[in-house]
Amino acid sequence: MVEVTCRTVQGRLLLRPSPQLNDLVLGILGRAQARYRMTVHYFVVLSNHIHLLLSPDTPQQLALFMAFVEANLAKEAGRLHAWQGPFWARRYQLIVVSGEQEAQVARLLYLLRHGVKEGLVDHPRDWPGPNALPALVEGSPLTGVWVDRTQEYRLRQRQTPVDGSACRCTETIVLTRLPCWGHLTDAAYRLRLDELVCQVESEGLQRRREQGDPLGLERIQRQHPHQRPSTTKRSPAPLIHAAHRIVRLAFVDAYRAFVGAYRIAADRLRMGDRLVIFPDRAFPPPLPVGK
């Protein structure tokens, strides 16, 4: 399992929640999941960044999935908010999550806290942007609209009246339980989720007592999408989210061995060895034109 984060350029609020944007975001995620068969555990879309918990089968699958999501979100949100220029601050950030139950549950809890820990809302269900909580807790379907811009363009080229319904379809996001909870009964699974949500709700109430009322829905939706925060919180990203030090060190050792083998193979490829074998699931570097 991996945690993927995408941040908007300069932290601008280009993903500020609105009914229209929410519909488009869910449609894009649903189309990407159907197209690349991605396993999605949870996601939350804040005004200036996105978090996803995914279990890709291969690095290539993840790269294609995220390229589709980022490109289409940039186009649709940019079109909606009249934003020109770069949309994302950089390539998406990926952190592996270990197979330990404590690590996986901790990452889900971290995503559930979004909107509450920043002092925007009291409860995670109050966040007005796209998130997977309603589907997890209430079983509500996660559906959105996918707009086929290629079809729209072709109709315009033929000087044919554009029928909005002909270029739109409904996409549904299917959620999968955390790997560590795959064995639970439905009742036990729901109980675990309720415990996490109650914990975040208690933290929200405590924050209200200590720091006052949250920003609230009305003021969130009044923010201008081009606005950028005065400060942004940045911290070094770990190679892996793990609950125990021994697991973390084992991963770091394996990663170093992978990088070492990759660099040796890359050097041999550049020296002309076309039969060199790269580590499993690695991306070989591009060769110069004509080589």
Side-chain angles (χ1 to χ4, degrees):
M1 192 171 78
V2 297
E3 179 187 353
V4 179
T5 303
C6 310
R7 300 186 186 278
T8 59
V9 64
Q10 299 173 343
R12 295 184 186 271
L13 308 181
L14 295 169
L15 296 171
R16 185 207 63 194
S18 70
Q20 186 176 359
L21 180 67
N22 294 357
D23 212 20
L24 291 169
V25 170
L26 294 175
I28 290 168
L29 288 174
R31 173 56 66 100
Q33 182 184 43
R35 185 168 183 171
Y36 298 107
R37 299 185 179 182
M38 178 60 68
T39 300
V40 180
H41 303 293
Y42 194 82
F43 65 89
V44 59
V45 180
L46 278 294
S47 295
N48 61 7
H49 66 283
I50 303 172
H51 286 296
L52 304 104
L53 283 180
L54 310 170
S55 285
D57 296 324
T58 65
Q60 289 83 355
Q61 179 199 28
L62 178 63
L64 291 171
F65 174 85
M66 289 308 304
F68 184 93
V69 169
E70 286 193 309
N72 284 281
L73 276 180
K75 283 188 247 182
E76 294 298 339
R79 178 196 299 263
L80 184 63
H81 297 315
W83 176 258
Q84 297 180 351
F87 189 90
W88 301 108
R90 58 184 178 183
R91 185 179 181 271
Y92 65 85
Q93 179 187 73
L94 178 150
I95 304 175
V96 174
V97 183
S98 78
E100 304 161 283
Q101 176 171 304
E102 302 98 313
Q104 294 184 5
V105 174
R107 297 327 295 168
L108 176 59
L109 180 60
Y110 174 74
L111 267 62
L112 286 170
R113 287 189 173 116
H114 276 68
V116 176
K117 67 183 181 65
E118 297 88 353
L120 301 175
V121 292
D122 278 330
H123 193 285
R125 67 167 171 261
D126 296 335
W127 175 247
N131 68 87
L133 184 59
L136 278 183
V137 176
E138 303 165 9
S140 306
L142 279 170
T143 59
V145 173
W146 166 254
V147 182
D148 190 337
R149 299 297 181 188
T150 303
Q151 179 67 10
E152 279 190 349
Y153 173 77
R154 288 172 179 164
L155 292 176
R156 290 194 184 96
Q157 289 295 100
R158 298 174 193 162
Q159 297 184 341
T160 304
V162 177
D163 180 4
S165 61
C167 303
R168 295 170 178 263
C169 65
T170 300
E171 295 287 352
T172 302
I173 303 170
V174 179
L175 297 178
T176 302
R177 295 181 184 183
L178 296 180
C180 66
W181 284 351
H183 66 285
L184 296 178
T185 64
D186 290 344
Y189 176 66
R190 186 59 54 86
L191 180 61
R192 300 285 181 90
L193 288 175
D194 288 342
E195 289 173 350
L196 294 182
V197 173
C198 288
Q199 179 178 338
V200 177
E201 185 176 21
S202 298
E203 293 171 0
L205 294 175
Q206 181 64 27
R207 193 185 191 286
R208 173 188 277 267
R209 285 193 291 267
E210 294 175 353
Q211 302 182 29
D213 294 341
L215 188 63
L217 175 61
E218 184 178 346
R219 283 188 287 177
I220 290 172
Q221 295 183 324
R222 280 207 312 261
Q223 293 175 311
H224 196 282
H226 295 184
Q227 177 183 334
R228 59 183 296 188
S230 55
T231 59
T232 55
K233 182 181 178 182
R234 293 292 177 87
S235 57
L239 281 176
I240 184 173
H241 290 301
H244 297 93
R245 184 171 182 269
I246 190 171
V247 175
R248 188 179 302 108
L249 293 178
F251 180 85
V252 170
D253 288 342
Y255 179 76
R256 286 173 177 166
F258 175 89
V259 172
Y262 181 90
R263 287 175 175 167
I264 292 172
D267 289 341
R268 290 179 58 185
L269 179 65
R270 282 190 287 267
M271 293 172 63
D273 185 355
R274 299 295 182 268
L275 301 179
V276 63
I277 298 176
F278 279 81
D280 186 32
R281 301 194 177 193
F283 287 90
L287 288 172
V289 177
K291 294 291 186 178

